[in-house]
Amino acid sequence: MELGNREEYVHRERPCFKKLFIGMCLGIICSLVIWSFVFKERENQPPHSFLLQSPKISFNPKFGITSESNSSLIQGLYWAGPGTIITNISISTSPAHSTFIIQNLKDSYQIGEELYVTIHARDFNNNPKPYGGDFFQAKLFSSKTPEKASVFGEVLDLLNGSYSVRFLLPWVGQAQVAVRLIHSSEAVQVLKHHRETNSDRVSFLGYFEGPGVNGIRLKETVKCNVKWDKNGLERVKNVECCCEYLDSRTGEEWRCQKPKSLPCGARVYHSFGEYINFLTPQEAKILAPSNKGIDGQKSIINVLPSNKTMKIDVREKCRPGLHTPVPAGFYLNDVWTSFVCKTREFTTQTATQCLKDKLIYLMGDSTMRQWFEFLEKSVPTLKQMNQHVQYKAGPLIAVDVMNNIYLRWRAHGIPLRFEKTEMTNLRYISNEIDDMTGGPHTVVAFHVGIHFTSFPLDVFTKRVLRIRRAVLDLLQRAPETTVIVKTVNTGYKDVFTSDWYSLQLDKILRWAFQDVGVYILDVWQMTSCHYTGDNLHPSPIIIKNEIDILLSFTCPE
């Protein structure tokens, strides 16, 4: 199986740059005030009020990461939580009793202003929560015509059961606030526990084949997984139990149970195995109220034009290394306007012209395959070659001989929750990048994330840092290469592929590439704030906007 199966503003009337700048400055000041309050609250809490929910990530200088940078990552992944293990759902956060209010609600606002919302978390007994750690997502949206707009809200944990949400008001028209409790702090506690202790709750299969007696071909299927200290296969103490596969270039290790009749070298195929539920009945109850909307002020936010409306013709040209703000942009009439740099919409003609004489290498999971499929359909002259491979695992190739365009998508290496596919077609991203020449005609876009949610963060961090090393080497030998990192999608809320897991992986991915000189394409905000709701495999509307940003990075103006 595949993982994924389971309001009036127009672009010619831009918000006043000066007003946006002032608004951003005020936002920073407000954030500093709030954070000073947070730190004060932390100091006033008794020592047992919080468990330090920081991950265990080993530091290895060979990846080119300083101890200071490693420490900053651990601090960035900090997550507050209850001071003891909670098994009673009645004292966990209840979406039915939690509420939000709009601070200092006004009759109307001007475009570019900010709106603040406060969330108050309560448990199932309707008592205020005394600590933080709940995972809320918030958006400001309008699903009505003509706006069809939405923007991501930045949630700040005040560590006392309350949360502050900041919204930018980037379009003229109407809007409403929506807040969802993705996971309670107690559910996050459950998720973290199972990530660290039961990484084998997602299993994989290895298929072995070889010659047998009388010309009959032998076939055996066994369980496989990442070789990891907390992995289920590691519980077997017999060193003769398993076949171990070490990639000499990356150091990645994979382990399969040893077939009864065939040698370890007879492994031919890989596939997803099964989901194994290790949840206790109490844990299942705590996780059950996940991804629920909470009640609050349903007031219509009226946003008017600025008193000094002016057209913004000049925004920063897209270039590698730009900071991604919050919000990173917003939807209006189903078109994403970026606050990172000057992006634009592409037609079939302009997309073809942008991709002309380009080698485009896409690497990642099925969400990256969506890019391949969209580009193939958007550029009619691109024709896919039949490589006689398992489609969902690839590799997939499309070429346009007339315009000299080469487009390829390849799945990242194992672990992969895909259907049965040849092992020879599954290559690690870092190895692929190491084998590239690069140059001004080469575009490399990659993504890793959702297939690593069941493993301790160390597994993902090491994979990402190996890719980082390969990217640095590529840019050293071919600095004109365009490299694009796609962040993690939102979509799932369960113990196997929760958005909380994905959020932590997303932070690691951004941290690893923040200073490398690559483009960061933020799809976390794009997938979580769209008014249609999030889905691991976004709708064509969202994919179209992601591709427009990809092409804007490829052909900046």
Side-chain angles (χ1 to χ4, degrees), residues 21 92 124 135 242 282 324 336 368 401 425 428 435 468:
F21 178 76
S92 68
F124 280 81
F135 181 19
C242 306
Q282 293 84 358
T324 301
W336 180 264
M368 187 64 86
V401 176
N425 288 328
Y428 295 114
D435 292 339
R468 180 182 185 272

Side-chain angles (χ1 to χ4, degrees), residues 40-51 81-83 130-131 159:
K40 184 177 180 181
E41 284 292 313
R42 283 184 180 174
E43 292 173 356
N44 293 335
Q45 296 293 339
H48 62 276
S49 294
F50 296 98
L51 285 177
Y131 50 81
L159 305 181

Side-chain angles (χ1 to χ4, degrees), residues 13-280:
E13 185 182 52
R14 304 281 185 187
C16 173
F17 177 76
K18 181 178 180 182
K19 194 164 197 62
L20 280 174
F21 178 76
I22 294 173
M24 291 168 122
C25 291
L26 290 174
I28 292 172
I29 293 172
C30 291
S31 296
L32 290 173
V33 172
I34 292 172
W35 273 114
S36 66
F37 169 77
V38 170
F39 292 137
K40 184 177 180 181
E41 284 292 313
R42 283 184 180 174
E43 292 173 356
N44 293 335
Q45 296 293 339
H48 62 276
S49 294
F50 296 98
L51 285 177
L52 182 62
Q53 300 289 330
S54 295
K56 296 178 181 178
I57 298 179
S58 60
F59 167 64
N60 193 330
K62 75 177 183 180
F63 292 122
I65 300 297
T66 64
S67 58
E68 291 79 9
S69 181
N70 191 70
S71 297
S72 72
L73 171 62
I74 294 176
Q75 292 172 9
L77 293 171
Y78 167 85
W79 197 274
T84 59
I85 302 299
I86 304 298
T87 58
N88 185 355
I89 189 174
S90 67
I91 58 176
S92 68
T93 306
S94 165
H97 293 94
S98 300
T99 58
F100 68 85
I101 58 172
I102 301 172
Q103 297 293 333
N104 303 316
L105 179 64
K106 300 189 296 186
D107 292 336
S108 64
Y109 297 81
Q110 290 186 8
I111 189 171
E113 284 192 79
E114 291 183 339
L115 182 76
Y116 283 87
V117 170
T118 301
I119 302 170
H120 296 293
R122 290 178 172 270
D123 64 24
F124 280 81
N125 295 321
N126 203 24
N127 296 316
K129 294 292 293 293
Y131 50 81
D134 297 309
F135 181 19
F136 288 102
Q137 284 186 355
K139 64 183 177 183
L140 193 71
F141 75 101
S142 173
S143 57
K144 297 180 180 179
T145 303
E147 289 94 357
K148 273 191 165 182
S150 55
V151 67
F152 182 83
E154 183 177 22
V155 180
L156 179 64
D157 190 347
L158 302 181
L159 305 181
N160 59 3
S162 294
Y163 303 78
S164 177
V165 187
R166 180 182 67 89
F167 293 105
L168 180 68
L169 303 177
W171 68 82
V172 172
Q174 296 184 333
Q176 284 183 279
V177 174
V179 179
R180 300 187 74 80
L181 175 64
I182 305 302
H183 293 300
S184 67
S185 55
E186 296 75 21
V188 169
Q189 191 178 64
V190 171
L191 293 172
K192 184 176 185 294
H193 167 72
H194 284 278
R195 183 184 65 191
E196 299 301 325
T197 60
N198 292 313
S199 60
D200 56 329
R201 67 192 183 278
V202 177
S203 70
F204 305 89
L205 297 176
Y207 301 82
F208 293 72
E209 295 186 8
V213 181
N214 299 325
I216 299 176
R217 192 161 180 81
L218 294 178
K219 296 183 180 181
E220 293 186 57
T221 303
V222 300
K223 289 185 177 181
C224 303
N225 220 315
V226 171
K227 183 183 178 183
W228 184 250
D229 291 343
K230 300 294 179 65
N231 192 286
L233 291 174
E234 196 68 30
R235 297 171 187 160
V236 181
K237 300 300 181 182
N238 183 2
V239 294
E240 300 297 324
C241 73
C242 306
C243 296
E244 296 189 355
Y245 303 92
L246 171 67
D247 184 88
S248 60
R249 298 169 68 180
T250 64
E252 298 278 358
E253 293 183 277
W254 189 256
R255 173 181 282 189
C256 294
Q257 292 174 339
K258 185 172 290 186
K260 295 179 180 179
S261 305
L262 293 168
C264 293
R267 185 178 56 146
V268 181
Y269 300 98
H270 164 88
S271 81
F272 166 78
E274 62 178 337
Y275 291 111
I276 305 172
N277 189 354
F278 288 108
L279 291 175
T280 66

